[in-house]
Amino acid sequence: MASVGKILRRTFLIGSAAIVGGVAFGAYYVSRPAANPLKPAKGETALSPFVLIDQQGVTLFAPRAEMGQGVRTTWAALIAEELDVELDQIRVLHGPAAAAYYNSALVGEGLPNKGYDISDFQHNLGEALGVLGRTLSLQVTGGSTSMKDGFERMREAGATARETLKQAAADRLGVDRAQLKTENGAVVAPDGTRIPYTELAEAAGQIEPPEVELRDPSNWRLLGRSLPRVDVVGKSTGTAEFGIDVRPEGLKFASVRINPKLGGEMKGFDASAAEQMPGVEKVVDLGNGVAVIASNTWLAIQAVEAIDVDWGDAPYPPETDAVFAEIAKSFDASPNSTMRDDGDVDTLPDGATEITVEYTVPYLAHSTMEPMNATALFTGSALELWCGNQAPTLVQIRAANTANLDKEAVQIHTTYLGGGFGRRGELDFGEIATKVAMAMPGVPVQTTWSREEDMRHDYYRPGAMARMRGAVKDGQAVLIDGKVAAQSCTQQAVQRYTGLPAGGPDKVLVEGFFNQPYAVPNYRMSGHIADLDIPVGFWRSVGNSHNGFFHETFMDEVAHAAGRDPLEFRLELAKADHAPSAGCLQAVKEMSGWTGETPDGVGRGVAMTYSFGTPVAQVIEVVDEDGTIRIAKAWIACDVGLALDPGTVESQMFGGMIYGLSAAVMGEITFSDGEVEQYNFPDYDALRMHNAPVTEVKILETNHHMGGAGEPGTPPSMPALGNALFDLTGERARTLPLINQFNLLV
């Protein structure tokens, strides 16, 4: 099957190159292999950009950032499965910034389809277009694509390394390669002679890698099992290196302040008080803000706060209500997209009952546990940058432009990430660290943002509104007409990354809105872009995060208007459109013992969303404890198509749900006088152990294609909780966060 896929990709390559512009890219430019960025020392052999073998053993260079989602472990397992080594025999490092490490799955995700209904042709076309990720320098961790990206590439890397090592052994022994086998890091001859890979590495590096066949899944030893995490020892012992742990020799420390009225100018500043503080070495004018270099981070934070700065006004309405008034205005303009328009939504069927509702959700922060930071060493002719990031090649390009260097003169060291969620796909922390280091050439400087600076200078999940209209007749949904309005994360990101404007229909704005697998005959979903200058970005599950709440809360309202059980109502609609989605609903029905009836003091809600190729259904149970409502239990069913590591999938579903529930309960970014009002975790909290639900997860594998796991657990959590609160109290939640309406245990 792998060889067929390879042929299909090669066949489409010429066509896809022509589609995107043969003159601009050229078929060769698109299809040529990327150079191997690994430069082995003596005694080492880089058999591919991903696999290096030396006297110590096998090293995997994983190009996807490890931010808690387990990518290093599963990628190592993909290699180990084909290379015949054990997981603990592989050392895993993050690869350098290089075109060879492009994300092959990211481009295909942007194609204008629903995802759940794509044909094999469309799926293969998406894979073929993935090679454009190399030409666009998309070495990116995001979009829940890491496993889709690595599934074949890593197995091919392991299998190619295995067969190349066997060929080296065959040449040494004077036998045919087919007579040899591999096990436990060695090539084994028919007479039992064992030659460790480490002894064959140098010779293997001189051999043209042969064509390989991947092993049948029935022979897998590691994949499909829950494996011990390769990063657990380092993280448990405190030896794992995060960006904030970097300590090159001679390190100085810095902190930064940018205009709290986001995007406003800096008119001037008086740093005299800071300059007199013992241990302060330099005040740096960043143009739009200031930084202080000092002998330690705490002093740098105190000193930069002591600077008297004259800030200009924000380029957006200064108060939250005025911001949302602008979002509402965008409904009056033509939609940016109408990616679903089935039947006739303008005509209300005879005898149908109409429902119209409006929903609102706030801006949200990423609130990573490790605040933004980066360490930079600028020499005048070169730059080294250490940081946790989700896009090394983009950080490299931005840092090179900032320092006026060629890209090749910038070296990026990607550390562990203390939380990403999309925030570390941005480039600002690397750019600022570069500017600070340029003020002290030859000295490494670690620039760490205070928690307050981090919280108040995020690229926020945009606030959003939805206007929903539906109709029911004879217990059936006969019409859904939805409009969502929000700022465009995609347009802002393209402008930030490239300096070029982005246009066209914005799929991200309406993802999770237009592509939900429910068979309703008259179904139209539109997206309206709000024209505001508040910085927004990709927050875990992106557009699905607000659209899941809008769509699934509305489906609940439609079900009740039809006089139907909300789970059975969804199940009936999903069965007619997408069997894996229906399977998830059926699974949570059975797991939770759903009957549609709850005793006094208990409420249950259900939601199902399809996102990142994976349908996820959740049932949330809440209980009233003397007037305080506690989230007691949760049941999650997902269908990822193929669970390479069930333990990791389960963890991601649970973590994604908690992230979403935290936002639903208390997450809110508001504005006053143009400034963000939330400063720290007491202002922007999350669920803790005492108020997190007891959770059960079931993983299904019927989906036709592999789906993502890192984000799909987030979107259904918010509406499932809101629907449970309705079941308990009779009050419908149409605005988040819920703490403003209900007495929830926090």
Side-chain angles (χ1 to χ4, degrees):
M1 191 158 178
S3 59
V4 173
K6 211 177 292 182
I7 292 168
L8 285 171
R9 285 196 292 279
R10 288 171 180 164
T11 303
F12 283 129
L13 197 54
I14 303 302
S16 64
I19 290 168
V20 300
V23 176
F25 293 98
Y28 170 71
Y29 179 68
V30 174
S31 61
R32 70 184 178 188
N36 190 339
L38 303 182
K39 310 296 181 189
K42 188 174 182 180
E44 298 178 335
T45 297
L47 296 179
S48 74
F50 305 101
V51 179
L52 183 142
I53 300 180
D54 59 14
Q55 296 308 304
Q56 280 68 53
V58 179
T59 299
L60 161 65
F61 284 86
R64 301 294 160 258
E66 177 59 78
M67 46 190 172
Q69 80 279 37
V71 64
R72 287 192 177 189
T73 302
T74 308
W75 276 47
L78 290 165
I79 294 278
E81 191 70 74
E82 294 287 345
L83 192 51
D84 283 327
V85 295
E86 297 305 315
L87 200 61
D88 59 7
Q89 293 177 280
I90 297 182
R91 177 177 58 172
V92 186
L93 301 175
H94 195 286
Y101 298 127
Y102 69 95
N103 189 324
S104 65
L106 209 56
V107 173
E109 294 299 302
L111 294 177
N113 55 54
K114 296 175 186 172
Y116 66 86
D117 63 347
I118 62 171
S119 64
D120 287 340
F121 176 88
Q122 291 171 312
H123 176 74
N124 289 327
L125 178 60
E127 286 194 335
L129 290 172
V131 76
L132 294 177
R134 187 182 64 250
T135 67
L136 298 172
S137 296
L138 294 180
Q139 185 184 353
V140 173
T141 305
S144 297
T145 56
S146 289
M147 290 308 109
K148 288 182 276 188
D149 169 43
F151 179 55
E152 280 200 11
R153 295 171 82 192
M154 291 303 95
R155 287 189 298 146
E156 286 175 355
T160 301
R162 179 192 72 229
E163 294 304 311
T164 306
L165 290 161
K166 284 170 64 179
Q167 187 61 55
D171 294 343
R172 177 189 292 191
L173 298 171
V175 301
D176 189 85
R177 176 162 54 98
Q179 295 179 261
L180 304 174
K181 66 177 183 177
T182 53
E183 64 180 25
N184 201 27
V187 178
V188 183
D191 64 359
T193 300
R194 298 175 62 87
I195 309 177
Y197 291 165
T198 52
E199 292 183 18
L200 296 166
E202 192 168 351
Q206 310 304 313
I207 296 172
E208 181 70 21
E211 288 288 321
V212 297
E213 288 290 329
L214 300 180
R215 287 185 171 147
D216 189 274
S218 63
N219 297 319
W220 284 349
R221 301 175 300 112
L222 302 172
L223 298 175
R225 295 171 46 204
S226 296
L227 299 171
R229 292 274 294 263
V230 300
D231 53 339
V232 73
V233 172
K235 290 178 177 177
S236 300
T237 59
T239 57
E241 186 178 66
F242 292 79
I244 211 163
D245 299 322
V246 170
R247 290 293 184 272
E249 187 176 351
L251 181 66
K252 300 295 182 181
F253 301 87
S255 195
V256 63
R257 273 177 72 201
I258 306 294
N259 193 339
K261 299 176 181 181
L262 307 173
E265 65 176 333
M266 182 175 70
K267 297 179 180 180
F269 65 90
D270 178 2
S272 55
E275 290 169 337
Q276 294 170 16
M277 297 172 70
V280 168
E281 302 200 15
K282 194 158 195 174
V283 173
V284 183
D285 183 347
L286 299 173
N288 65 336
V290 289
V292 168
I293 303 173
S295 56
N296 63 68
T297 298
W298 179 245
L299 173 59
I301 291 173
Q302 298 306 302
V304 81
E305 289 296 328
I307 298 175
D308 183 17
V309 187
D310 182 12
W311 300 118
D313 290 335
Y316 48 83
E319 307 297 326
T320 303
D321 288 348
V323 168
F324 277 89
E326 287 297 315
I327 295 173
K329 283 182 184 177
S330 63
F331 285 122
D332 299 331
S334 298
N336 165 264
S337 73
T338 303
M339 297 189 72
R340 185 169 192 162
D341 193 358
D342 303 337
D344 177 12
V345 300
D346 293 318
T347 304
L348 187 68
D350 290 340
T353 300
E354 189 174 36
I355 311 107
T356 59
V357 185
E358 182 169 296
Y359 303 103
T360 303
V361 296
Y363 287 81
L364 295 173
H366 292 84
S367 63
T368 61
M369 288 298 291
E370 180 191 17
M372 296 302 107
N373 67 88
T375 300
L377 171 59
F378 175 74
T379 65
S381 60
L383 174 73
E384 280 191 85
L385 194 65
W386 293 261
C387 59
N389 70 85
Q390 294 176 239
T393 46
L394 300 182
V395 172
Q396 181 188 46
I397 292 168
R398 175 61 59 83
N401 291 340
T402 301
N404 196 27
L405 295 171
D406 291 335
K407 184 178 70 173
E408 291 71 25
V410 177
Q411 186 176 2
I412 305 296
H413 305 277
T414 299
T415 63
Y416 281 119
L417 284 67
F421 316 121
R423 177 62 179 96
R424 284 185 161 90
E426 299 294 344
L427 313 178
D428 54 339
F429 52 91
E431 178 180 354
I432 288 172
T434 299
K435 289 181 177 179
V436 173
M438 289 173 68
M440 196 171 279
V443 177
V445 183
Q446 183 175 98
T447 301
T448 303
W449 301 24
S450 69
R451 173 63 61 196
E452 291 77 11
E453 194 71 16
D454 184 292
M455 187 72 73
R456 303 180 78 207
H457 291 85
D458 204 341
Y459 292 94
Y460 300 100
R461 198 288 303 271
M465 301 177 69
R467 291 178 178 172
M468 308 294 292
R469 171 176 161 264
V472 295
K473 181 179 180 181
D474 300 328
Q476 305 292 319
V478 293
L479 183 154
I480 295 178
D481 184 14
K483 299 178 180 180
V484 59
Q487 290 180 253
S488 171
C489 300
T490 304
Q491 289 188 1
Q492 273 205 20
V494 170
Q495 180 74 43
R496 282 197 298 273
Y497 295 161
T498 70
L500 300 172
D506 184 351
K507 181 181 178 181
V508 172
L509 175 64
V510 293
E511 62 184 0
F513 202 59
F514 81 97
N515 60 337
Q516 294 309 292
Y518 291 126
V520 178
N522 306 295
Y523 207 145
R524 180 174 66 195
M525 307 300 277
S526 302
H528 297 254
I529 294 178
D531 184 16
L532 283 160
D533 290 324
I534 296 171
V536 295
F538 303 124
W539 187 90
R540 191 174 190 172
S541 78
V542 205
N544 297 282
S545 68
H546 49 73
N547 290 329
F549 176 72
F550 298 150
H551 195 283
E552 281 301 282
T553 305
F554 187 64
M555 288 301 295
D556 221 63
E557 299 210 44
V558 171
H560 283 281
R564 299 284 302 281
D565 176 276
L567 197 156
E568 295 292 349
F569 182 73
R570 288 173 171 83
L571 187 55
E572 182 179 294
L573 292 171
K575 279 180 178 176
D577 222 25
H578 189 228
S581 295
C584 290
L585 284 164
Q586 183 64 37
V588 290
K589 177 183 176 181
E590 295 169 2
M591 292 161 67
S592 65
W594 181 282
T595 63
E597 301 291 334
T598 51
D600 290 344
V602 177
R604 282 187 170 186
V606 63
M608 189 277 292
T609 59
Y610 173 90
S611 64
F612 305 97
T614 300
V616 180
Q618 294 181 12
V619 169
I620 301 288
E621 181 177 287
V622 295
V623 294
D624 187 328
E625 296 177 334
D626 298 323
T628 299
I629 301 171
R630 179 170 60 89
I631 307 171
K633 296 179 182 178
W635 295 268
I636 307 172
C638 64
D639 195 329
V640 293
L642 178 61
L644 297 176
D645 187 318
T648 293
V649 174
E650 180 176 341
S651 295
Q652 286 303 291
M653 289 298 151
F654 177 74
M657 178 191 71
I658 293 295
Y659 198 71
L661 290 177
S662 297
V665 170
M666 62 195 84
E668 184 176 28
I669 291 295
T670 56
F671 301 89
S672 178
D673 194 26
E675 298 185 18
V676 170
E677 294 185 285
Q678 289 71 28
Y679 281 67
N680 208 319
F681 287 129
D683 307 318
Y684 193 94
D685 210 344
L687 293 191
R688 308 298 180 98
M689 292 180 70
H690 73 280
N691 56 6
V694 176
T695 303
E696 181 183 347
V697 179
K698 184 170 185 178
I699 302 167
L700 306 175
E701 296 181 275
T702 72
N703 218 346
H704 189 46
H705 300 295
M706 184 186 296
E711 295 168 272
T714 298
S717 62
M718 304 183 212
L721 177 56
N723 295 338
L725 291 169
F726 174 76
D727 184 47
L728 176 68
T729 68
E731 290 184 46
R732 179 61 70 180
R734 297 188 176 121
T735 302
L736 298 179
L738 298 167
I739 196 68
N740 294 339
Q741 183 178 351
F742 301 93
N743 184 26
L744 293 161
L745 175 66
V746 293

